[in-house]
Structures are given as C-alpha cells and as structure tokens.
Amino acid sequence: MPRRSPRQPRVSCRVATVLTGLALAGVTDVASSQAVVAPGNLGVGGSVVSLRDGQLVLLRNELGEGVDLNGDGDTLDEVAHVEFLPSGQSVTFAPDLDGPEWIQDAGTSLTILRRESKEGVDLNGDGDTLDFVPELHDLRAGTSRLLDPVASGIVGVNGTVRFVADDLLVVRSSEAAIGVDLNGDGDVADGVPHVLDLRAGTDTSLGLGGDLLFLDPTGRYLVGRVFERDEQKDLDGDGVVGPVNHGVVHVLDLRTGALTNVGIFGVLPPGPDGRRAFAQGRMIFQTRESDLGTDLDGDGALDANVFTVLDPATGTYLPTTLTSPAGLFTTFSMVRAVGDAFLVSVTTNISPYLQQRVYRVDPITGAVSPLGVTTGGSFLEQLQPSYRDVVALVVEEFGVDMSGDGDGDDRVLHLHDVPSGNALVTGLACELAYGTGELLVCTVREADTGVDGNGDGDLLDRHALVADFATGRVHAPPLAIDSIPVTDGRFVAFMVDESYQAGTDLNGDGDADDTVLHVLDPRDGSVRVLGAAEPGGMLLGQQLVSLDGGWIAFLVDEAAAGGVDLNGDGDTDDEIVHAFEL
C-alpha cells in the first residue's frame, strides 16, 4: 500500500530540522571515555523516593545496612532520610515505615505515615494502637509535628495523605479509626477529607465523606467527589443512594470555603497532577449516559461513558459527544492537557490487542476532533508534551506499513502540533516516546528498524534516540539499553547491558555481566560512563536512576561494581546511593 504524504506541522524551522532527523534516524558518535568509579558516593544504602532541586529523599533499610538508624535498639526498620545535596547536610527520621509510598515529598515539607501498631504507641490519643497517623516535617524550619488528631486516622495508605501543592496537604480522615462522626450522618464508617494549608496554618474539613484530588492551576479550587453511600443521601438527583464509591463531583473554593455540588456522578482522571487535568481553567472527567439521560453514541442504550468538561469557577459542566465503552472509564483511557486543549484516548478494543483512538477536545466549546491515529500497548506513557505543544504519539501500524520496512506490525512515531491540528508521520519505528522540556526520547528496537545500531552483529537490541529541539540535533548512541531512559529535559540517563554490547566491560571491573549507567548530554552529543553497575539480566526502571535540574541520583550494586565495599560496613552485598550535580 503506498504511503500517504503527511501534513507538516506549522512549527519553527528548528523543529522541522529535528523532525527530519527523526525520520532519517541519524546516529551520532559516543564520546570516548574511560570507565571510572561512580562519583557522588553518599555511603548510604536505600531506595530513592524523590529527587527535587538537589534535595534527595531516601528510604533506608537498617537490616541491609546493619545499622540502627533510629536508635530503637534493633536493625529491623525502614526509615526516611533526606540528603540536601548542595550543602552536604542530611537528616534521618526515626519512625519505622513500610515502604516509599508512606513518604510524601513536597520539597519544603515532608510527611511520613506512622503505624501505631509498629511503634506500640497511641499517637492520636484515641485509646488504641491500631491507626496510621501522619507526621509533618517542615524541612525549612527543621521542625516536626503530628497532625491534628481529628485529621489523623487514615484509611489505608496509598493516596490518603497527598500534597496537592507545596503548602497544601489533603488528609482523608477515618471516622472508624478515631471513633468520631465527622460528617454528621450518625455513623463512624466514612472517610472525610481535611485540607491543611501549611503556610496559613489552617485546617478545613470537607464535612462530607469523599476525596479531594485536583487543585486547579490558580490554586483556588479543589475538585473531588462525595460518596452517596457515605452521606446516605441522593446527591445527583436520580432518586437513588448509589453503591459504594458512587462519587458525585464537588468543588471546594479554598478562598471562600464554599463547597459546590456539581450534581453529577463522575470518574476523575488518574493521578493527582493538576497540570495534566486542566486546560483553560477547565477539567475533564467521565460520567455516564444514564446520568445525562442521553444516548450520545446512538446504540440504543444508556450505558456508555461520556467525557465531560467541568468549569470549577461556576460549578457547571458541559458533556461532549466523545464516549467510551461501558465499564472501562479511565482505567483504559488517558486524558492530558496540552496547551489550550485536552488530548483524550478512548479505548475501542481490548482483545486481542489494546487499541485506542486519540481525540482533541476544546475545553470551552466541548468540540471534539479526531487525530486520526490508533495507539496501543504502552499508551499510558505517551501524550507527553514536548517543545511547546508538539506531542509525540506511538501509533500502531495494524497492517498499514508506515515505516517503509515492508511489514505492518510496528509502532511508528507521529508528531502532532496540537494548536494547528497538523501531524507528521516520521516513519521511525519505536516502542515508546515521551518528552520533557525540549527533549524527545524514543526507545527503538533493532528488529523493527532492521539496523544493527551498536554493531554487535545481531538485531536483538534496543537503543535510545534523543531529539533536541533546542539545537536541532538528533542523537542515537550505539549502545544497547536495558532500561527506560530517564530525562529531566537537560540530560538523558540510561543503563547499558554489557552482554548486549558484544561482551564489553564498560565499567572496568573485569567482567561483562553488568548493566552500567550512561548519561547523554544532548548539547554536544557526548555520553558519559558513570561506572555505576547493577547485576545484568533484568529490566531496570526509573526507580534506580533519578534526574532533576541537572542533579542525578542512582544506586550502585557493590558486587556488580567489582566487589567494592562502598559504605564501609565490611561486606560487598549492598546497593549504595550515589548523587551529584552533572
């Protein structure tokens, strides 16, 4: 089938140059560099929770390090630890935690979730030791405090203590945990959100059972849901008290304290990141045809989900004509604000392959326009804006050869200029594409391109391809990656498997069975070998390498790095944290 000529996006000449480079899949040379001992050894073990502006938050394991870090007389705990990299100072917090999800980092503040049963202490004064109680640490002032007892009983762990802004914390209080009826419905079975303004020192209770998830870009409105079952009330006017988790959309005005019932059932987008949820002050969510009383997809039933635009300032909503199959909701859909519009993926099929169509939604008018592409597989990692409002999509060929390799079973990179609606089919077969700042990162399989990118004589490897919109250059280091590349918009870090590089010893430890950390500087195309190592034969992810603002943090396996004791504990079986400014 002949290939159609794609329309060119109306973007700058520099961007057009980059797009041409992507289509040609140009390759640059790796700067020669001898492997060195990994720099930035902090001498501590642990896992990286977050890296932000040179502030590194870790979860340290006493058993792994053989050290009593919190002074309780044993070495059985996991504790939070913060390294202030620019100053070289650090602080360790005493409470024993159960995992990194118990730590919430907002830069200037940190919360840790303490489990009374682990400490044998009644922290919130309710007469038992069965609760989870959040402790707030002000990293600027060096102070800490337990949150108010009313806001202390937590339902579960994940998502119940959440920073929605640096100084704004939402805590979902468990009535059962504290034995108090917080919403006045006569029982103690609900979860009631509190909003803690750390700067103003205020604590505002929603007074209703539900959750608050999204803060709009102005910082004034919090959007969430109130559950009819918790309130034992019909909140959406359908005459029925819905089942568990039947949530009706509400908006809390943080300036006035007013709570507005939008009056319709809603499923909010995944995750608490308001930057992805809002465009032109509006937010998009899903409701149901049955709640609207309208058959929008024309199938004779009221069972489809409807993408709907919310104006939090007025508490009003606007249904669009875009629907998704019944029961899927946002589990298999993705919403992302890009520039002045929403991009929405809608699942059209889940068997035998996940297929999703992509649409543009105008947040003011609700107008829907298709992008004309079908994605699949790893779509949740896509829709990443790069270079203003140019968006990368990895599109399934589904039998149509868009890469020109004679088959129709690849994923091909498309670039969309969202404001103009124009698109470019690059012809580059890639598995994954995402952008940060002015960098676009793609992972490419040799089997798809038919090119031996690292010269090892086979077509079994994966490579990173990086387009720099600032310089107009494309970089494709001839290295077989064994991880998803990490980028902060300035540098790109990835792990390289020595065995995939024709058995090359990349870190100078005398063997070729490690995965070794490399960092690409797109400004000049140079690649730096950091000497950090992990045992080979595993797919490594972003939890092992973090980049932010030119700072990098990573783990080094002592045994894989040549059997060196990096933390001075007399053994070589630890993973040691390294961090420094590139």
Side-chain angles (χ1 to χ4, degrees):
M1 179 180 295
R3 295 179 59 191
R4 293 171 292 179
S5 298
R7 295 178 295 167
Q8 299 294 317
R10 281 171 259 171
V11 290
S12 70
C13 293
R14 184 177 298 277
V15 176
T17 301
V18 173
L19 303 189
T20 302
L22 281 173
L24 297 175
V27 177
T28 59
D29 291 331
V30 177
S32 60
S33 174
Q34 292 185 350
V36 295
V37 175
N41 183 6
L42 300 181
V44 301
S47 58
V48 174
V49 175
S50 61
L51 174 64
R52 179 174 175 176
D53 298 327
Q55 178 176 295
L56 177 63
V57 180
L58 306 173
L59 182 67
R60 297 179 61 182
N61 187 305
E62 291 183 336
L63 184 62
E65 298 187 54
V67 179
D68 178 10
L69 297 170
N70 59 356
D72 66 350
D74 63 47
T75 56
L76 303 174
D77 309 321
E78 290 185 300
V79 298
H81 178 90
V82 180
E83 293 276 348
F84 303 98
L85 299 175
S87 67
Q89 297 179 321
S90 65
V91 60
T92 301
F93 300 103
D96 180 16
L97 308 179
D98 275 0
E101 68 273 15
W102 290 41
I103 304 171
Q104 295 284 323
D105 174 27
T108 57
S109 301
L110 187 80
T111 63
I112 56 178
L113 201 57
R114 299 177 62 177
R115 178 186 282 186
E116 292 181 334
S117 61
K118 295 193 74 168
E119 301 181 43
V121 179
D122 178 11
L123 296 170
N124 61 352
D126 67 347
D128 63 46
T129 56
L130 303 175
D131 308 319
F132 299 94
V133 182
E135 184 173 70
L136 175 67
H137 297 268
D138 186 331
L139 299 178
R140 293 168 296 190
T143 60
S144 63
R145 64 182 175 92
L146 293 172
L147 298 183
D148 184 270
V150 173
S152 299
I154 304 300
V155 181
V157 177
N158 284 319
T160 56
V161 181
R162 177 183 293 114
F163 280 100
V164 294
D166 283 359
D167 291 296
L168 205 62
L169 180 67
V170 174
V171 179
R172 190 165 182 243
S173 300
S174 167
E175 293 180 334
I178 59 178
V180 178
D181 178 10
L182 297 173
N183 60 344
D185 67 348
D187 63 43
V188 289
D190 310 317
V192 178
H194 286 243
V195 181
L196 307 183
D197 188 326
L198 305 182
R199 188 179 299 274
T202 58
D203 180 350
T204 303
S205 173
L206 184 65
L208 299 170
D211 53 31
L212 291 171
L213 296 178
F214 294 95
L215 181 69
D216 83 308
T218 70
R220 176 169 179 174
Y221 301 104
L222 264 174
V223 180
R225 301 181 301 164
V226 174
F227 302 120
E228 289 187 333
R229 179 61 60 88
D230 286 356
E231 294 302 305
Q232 291 299 309
K233 294 178 182 177
D234 171 21
L235 299 172
D236 56 6
D238 63 358
V240 178
V241 176
V244 175
N245 292 331
H246 181 87
V248 178
V249 179
H250 283 61
V251 178
L252 176 65
D253 187 332
L254 295 175
R255 187 177 302 173
T256 66
L259 181 67
T260 300
N261 179 5
V262 178
I264 193 166
F265 166 83
V267 175
L268 303 181
D273 189 350
R275 292 169 298 178
R276 299 180 178 183
F278 287 88
Q280 298 195 59
R282 270 72 167 176
M283 193 187 85
I284 196 166
F285 67 97
Q286 288 190 73
T287 188
R288 298 175 299 202
E289 287 181 326
S290 58
D291 292 279
L292 298 170
T294 304
D295 179 15
L296 292 171
D297 59 6
D299 66 352
L302 299 179
D303 58 355
N305 309 313
V306 182
F307 287 91
T308 303
V309 177
L310 169 70
D311 182 355
T314 62
T316 58
Y317 61 89
L318 174 65
T320 74
T321 58
L322 184 60
T323 62
S324 66
L328 293 182
F329 286 112
T330 50
T331 303
F332 292 100
S333 297
M334 188 67 178
V335 174
R336 189 69 53 94
V338 180
D340 61 356
F342 295 109
L343 289 189
V344 180
S345 72
V346 177
T347 300
T348 58
N349 191 21
I350 59 175
S351 179
Y353 306 106
L354 178 64
Q355 298 180 22
Q356 296 167 312
R357 302 287 292 177
V358 184
Y359 299 84
R360 182 186 187 275
V361 177
D362 187 302
I364 304 300
T365 66
V368 176
S369 54
L371 267 64
V373 297
T374 300
T375 67
S378 59
F379 186 75
L380 293 182
E381 285 81 24
Q382 298 175 37
L383 281 182
Q384 296 280 0
S386 183
Y387 195 75
R388 302 174 186 170
D389 298 326
V390 177
V391 173
L393 294 175
V394 176
V395 177
E396 298 281 352
E397 289 185 324
F398 292 119
V400 179
D401 181 13
M402 292 180 285
S403 61
D405 65 351
D407 61 48
D409 58 4
D410 303 319
R411 296 176 182 173
V412 177
L413 178 65
H414 290 221
L415 294 169
H416 287 261
D417 183 36
V418 176
S420 71
N422 291 312
L424 175 73
V425 181
T426 67
L428 176 68
C430 67
E431 288 185 297
L432 184 67
Y434 52 95
T436 301
E438 295 180 331
L439 297 184
L440 176 66
V441 180
C442 305
T443 60
V444 180
R445 292 197 320 160
E446 292 177 341
D448 292 335
T449 63
V451 177
D452 180 7
N454 62 339
D456 66 347
D458 62 48
L459 298 177
L460 303 175
D461 307 315
R462 290 176 172 84
H463 303 279
L465 186 147
V466 179
D468 186 348
F469 288 116
T471 64
R473 299 183 64 186
V474 178
H475 309 279
L479 297 166
I481 63 173
D482 194 30
S483 69
I484 298 174
V486 182
T487 181
D488 62 352
R490 170 67 180 80
F491 297 95
V492 181
F494 49 90
M495 304 294 286
V496 178
D497 191 310
E498 293 178 328
S499 65
Y500 296 164
Q501 286 294 116
T504 304
D505 180 8
L506 298 171
N507 62 337
D509 68 345
D511 62 49
D513 55 11
D514 309 316
T515 53
V516 180
L517 179 61
H518 291 61
V519 175
L520 167 70
D521 185 344
R523 291 177 299 183
D524 57 14
S526 63
V527 176
R528 182 176 178 183
V529 183
L530 294 185
E534 284 289 326
M538 63 178 72
L539 181 63
L540 302 178
Q542 295 191 19
Q543 73 276 9
L544 295 182
V545 181
S546 298
L547 276 173
D548 180 78
W551 291 88
I552 187 170
F554 52 94
L555 303 180
V556 178
D557 185 280
E558 292 178 327
V564 180
D565 179 9
L566 296 172
N567 61 343
D569 66 349
D571 62 48
T572 58
D573 56 8
D574 306 316
E575 289 190 335
I576 305 303
V577 181
H578 290 57
F580 66 99
E581 189 172 17
L582 291 164

